[in-house]
Amino acid sequence: MPLIRLDRFISERTEYTRSTIKELAKKGKISVDGVVQKSSDMKIDPENSEVKIGGRLISSQRYRYILLNKPEGYVCSTDDKDGETVMKLVPEEWRTKNMFPAGRLDKDSLGALLITDDGELAHRMLSPASHVPKIYIVKLDRPFQSKYIDIFKNGVVLPTGELCLPARLRPVENCDKLAFVELHEGKYHQIKRMFGAVGNSVEQLARVSVGGLILPEKLAIGQCMELLHKDVENLFSDPDFDLICRNFSGFFRHFQ
Ligand code: URA
């Protein structure tokens, strides 16, 4: 196993940045195999070294977190019985045995999708109790009506009788068929069914954020980027809905 720098080992497995790690090392808070290390650029064996920060053991297990800007036409699954899966879009050198898409976007949807082998994080993120907010931009078949805003705010009742949690809705200025939606849950085809319940229908849909993790503008459709542990923690912070609506109002150029 090749040796790697101590600061890299820690930053790949914890929320600490390299500069914080340097400071912690200087303060004598980091030990490797029981010996305090004041310099964070030393090399260690990532599989067999016992690294502790302030007494906390840093697991040698390194999870992978990939953010994909999902294109249309791929299913969010590891099983290709229903068509090509998003796993095909992850570069081979980033793939690990237990990786899976954490969450679902429909085959015809675009946008932010986390792919990981960290089952515990995925569970935490997808658990109904966590209510991680997700923001989408949708293109409607018919013009947006302002009455939708209160209907979504009060909780849409789906034709099945299911009640949706309150959702934020905002039309895109000067585009009468585009709107942003913020959901705190993930029912099957939820946005399509919500607009169906108010007599409209969704032509295209893209997810622009998951919690505080926002789709970077530079990440082209179909491309992946690897996330660091500290980026992943953003999943559990709240997004700024107003800022996202402002920044993504041009996203519709990706819609046909
Ligand atoms: N709601 C939908 O209807 N489809 C998606 O892909 C995501 C949310």
Side-chain angles (χ1 to χ4, degrees), residues 104-159:
R104 280 184 177 265
L105 280 173
D106 296 338
K107 188 171 178 180
D108 57 0
S109 298
L110 312 169
L113 179 73
L114 180 72
I115 297 176
T116 184
D117 50 9
D118 184 346
E120 199 218 296
L121 177 119
H123 177 74
R124 196 153 58 101
M125 182 186 115
L126 299 172
S127 130
S130 76
H131 297 307
V132 168
K134 299 177 194 91
I135 301 178
Y136 302 81
I137 181 165
V138 296
K139 181 176 168 198
L140 299 170
D141 179 39
R142 284 178 287 286
F144 183 91
Q145 295 184 33
S146 50
K147 68 175 184 190
Y148 300 163
I149 296 175
D150 278 343
I151 300 175
F152 275 52
K153 191 166 130 197
N154 296 327
V156 172
V157 182
L158 299 174

Side-chain angles (χ1 to χ4, degrees), residues 104-106 109 136 183 187 189-193 205:
R104 280 184 177 265
L105 280 173
D106 296 338
S109 298
Y136 302 81
L183 296 187
K187 299 186 198 300
H189 290 334
Q190 181 160 350
I191 294 182
K192 291 175 182 157
R193 290 157 74 213
L205 184 156

